[in-house]
Amino acid sequence: MKTPQQPHILLIDKDTAQIQLIETALRSSGYQVILAQTQAQLMDELANQPIDIILLNCTIDSIPYLEWCQFIGQSPQTANIPLILLVTAKDITALIQGIKSGAVGYLFHPLQLDSLRTCVTAHLSLRTPVSSKHQELERKALLHLLCHDLTTPLSAVVSLLSMSPSADMLMRMQSVLLESAQSGLELIDIVRGIRELQEKQLCLSPVCLLDTLNASLLTQKNYLIQKNITVNIDIPAYFTVLVEPYSFSQQVLTTLLNNAIKFSYPNSYIQIQAFDLDEKFIILNIKDYGIGMSEKLCPQLFDLNKTTARMGAAGEPAGSGYRLALVSRLMLAYQGSIHVQSKVNTQQDETGGTTVSLRLQKVVI
């Protein structure tokens, strides 16, 4: 995890020699350099730790710099991160377009390392603490949820009851009223969970991954039977991870399992596998072969400013679409991360579906 003494600088580049040059210069000044070559990699790094500054090399043909500038400037996760362009003196077009898209500074090639360090240091000094700015954005997003998204379910309830319905009509409307109330309660639960994460630190402790997963699966037993879905598990019994036990079981695993079932076709199966990533982390994969989604939708799953609500494979209600936002923040609190890969699957076969990967801290017993 990032410490205040070691700001993280993310470099978007594919030039190996350039990367090494920048890394050497910035690491000697106490910064850590992270590389990203795709937008998905950028979002993965943001899920792992805050990024303090983004450097975009506009001289490499394989880097579509204008598309990158627009993506960084428009994405809620990156819009407030200073973007510095690395351009050639002849490429004024790249410079103008980059500044219009939100870049706050630029440096010309060939890079002068002292100028690079000075530029980075200056923009870091102008920033408010990442955690404070991040929390302010979170608060605004949560307020939006309460003021905007609660309006729909509550309005439905008020509208139905204002009609002075008869007992018979109330019986027919019961499912609509219940769905509206559940949607409102889900939003309140998500907001409460995220606010608690902002206000207090979780107490992490070792848990057996297999036992915790089986306990979460029990809560989904009826749903699995209803859709006739089989779950195949390949997790060593000795795998132990460092998490907050209740939230990991009841919010993280339960949410991911429920989603996997919801978006799976009836009479299919879900594959759950865990393996060692390295000496510090374990990877837990939950793979379904359901309806899947486009790659562009994946980064939005954790964004409170965008709803990704979708109906299930068997017509299940869409839900709020914000539950994964809480899951991603819990994973950060565990000092882990979450990543989603998906492919639209209209053939109801094994060519598509969704894989959710959790990177969890390993505990050696």
Side-chain angles (χ1 to χ4, degrees), residues 123-164:
H123 283 288
L124 283 174
S125 67
L126 293 173
R127 297 200 72 200
T128 56
V130 173
S131 58
S132 298
K133 185 164 289 186
H134 177 71
Q135 287 183 2
E136 179 61 26
L137 290 173
E138 291 272 76
R139 281 193 289 269
K140 290 181 180 179
L142 293 175
L143 183 61
H144 172 80
L145 282 182
L146 290 175
C147 295
H148 181 271
D149 293 71
L150 273 179
T151 301
T152 300
L154 291 178
S155 296
V157 174
V158 172
S159 177
L160 289 172
L161 294 180
S162 64
M163 297 167 57
S164 301

Side-chain angles (χ1 to χ4, degrees), residues 103-122:
V104 299
Y106 60 90
L107 291 168
F108 286 126
H109 286 290
L111 287 178
Q112 300 296 318
L113 298 185
D114 286 341
S115 298
L116 173 64
R117 285 188 285 257
T118 300
C119 183
V120 168
T121 301

Side-chain angles (χ1 to χ4, degrees), residues 258-298:
N258 185 268
N259 281 353
I261 300 168
K262 175 179 178 179
F263 298 115
S264 288
Y265 292 109
N267 309 310
S268 61
Y269 71 97
I270 296 169
Q271 185 72 39
I272 302 177
Q273 180 187 31
F275 56 88
D276 285 307
L277 175 63
D278 50 36
E279 62 181 13
K280 294 183 178 180
F281 292 98
I282 286 171
I283 295 294
L284 173 66
N285 285 336
I286 301 176
K287 164 70 175 174
D288 69 67
Y289 300 92
I291 60 178
M293 72 188 89
S294 68
E295 291 185 4
K296 291 183 178 180
L297 185 61
C298 291

Side-chain angles (χ1 to χ4, degrees), residues 299-318:
Q300 301 177 18
L301 296 174
F302 315 119
D303 189 347
L304 285 171
N305 293 292
K306 297 179 181 179
T307 179
T308 55
R310 298 179 300 142
M311 292 181 63
E316 295 96 327

Side-chain angles (χ1 to χ4, degrees), residues 6-190:
Q6 192 179 48
H8 282 199
I9 313 300
L10 187 133
L11 172 64
I12 303 169
D13 202 344
K14 289 190 176 181
D15 186 333
T16 303
Q18 187 74 44
I19 293 167
Q20 293 175 344
L21 181 70
I22 293 175
E23 274 193 317
T24 300
L26 295 179
R27 286 184 186 278
S28 65
S29 299
Y31 304 136
Q32 180 161 340
V33 180
I34 302 163
L35 176 65
Q37 296 181 346
T38 67
Q39 292 172 5
Q41 290 175 351
L42 169 59
M43 302 310 292
D44 282 346
E45 293 300 339
L46 281 170
N48 293 334
Q49 69 274 305
I51 300 299
D52 297 282
I53 284 188
I54 298 175
L55 302 178
L56 172 61
N57 190 1
C58 300
T59 65
I60 306 301
D61 292 339
S62 56
I63 296 289
Y65 62 86
L66 181 57
E67 179 184 325
W68 270 100
C69 288
Q70 293 172 339
F71 176 80
I72 292 168
Q74 294 173 5
S75 174
Q77 296 97 319
T78 56
N80 290 292
I81 302 176
L83 171 62
I84 298 174
L85 307 178
L86 310 179
V87 298
T88 61
K90 296 181 180 180
D91 197 355
I92 301 301
T93 300
L95 177 57
I96 294 174
Q97 290 177 331
I99 296 297
K100 286 183 177 178
S101 298
V104 299
Y106 60 90
L107 291 168
F108 286 126
H109 286 290
L111 287 178
Q112 300 296 318
L113 298 185
D114 286 341
S115 298
L116 173 64
R117 285 188 285 257
T118 300
C119 183
V120 168
T121 301
H123 283 288
L124 283 174
S125 67
L126 293 173
R127 297 200 72 200
T128 56
V130 173
S131 58
S132 298
K133 185 164 289 186
H134 177 71
Q135 287 183 2
E136 179 61 26
L137 290 173
E138 291 272 76
R139 281 193 289 269
K140 290 181 180 179
L142 293 175
L143 183 61
H144 172 80
L145 282 182
L146 290 175
C147 295
H148 181 271
D149 293 71
L150 273 179
T151 301
T152 300
L154 291 178
S155 296
V157 174
V158 172
S159 177
L160 289 172
L161 294 180
S162 64
M163 297 167 57
S164 301
S166 64
D168 182 60
M169 182 179 291
L170 278 175
M171 289 293 294
R172 294 198 302 271
M173 293 178 175
Q174 183 178 7
S175 61
V176 177
L177 291 169
L178 181 60
E179 184 178 328
S180 298
Q182 288 175 334
S183 178
L185 288 173
E186 181 185 12
L187 284 173
I188 293 172
D189 186 47
I190 292 169

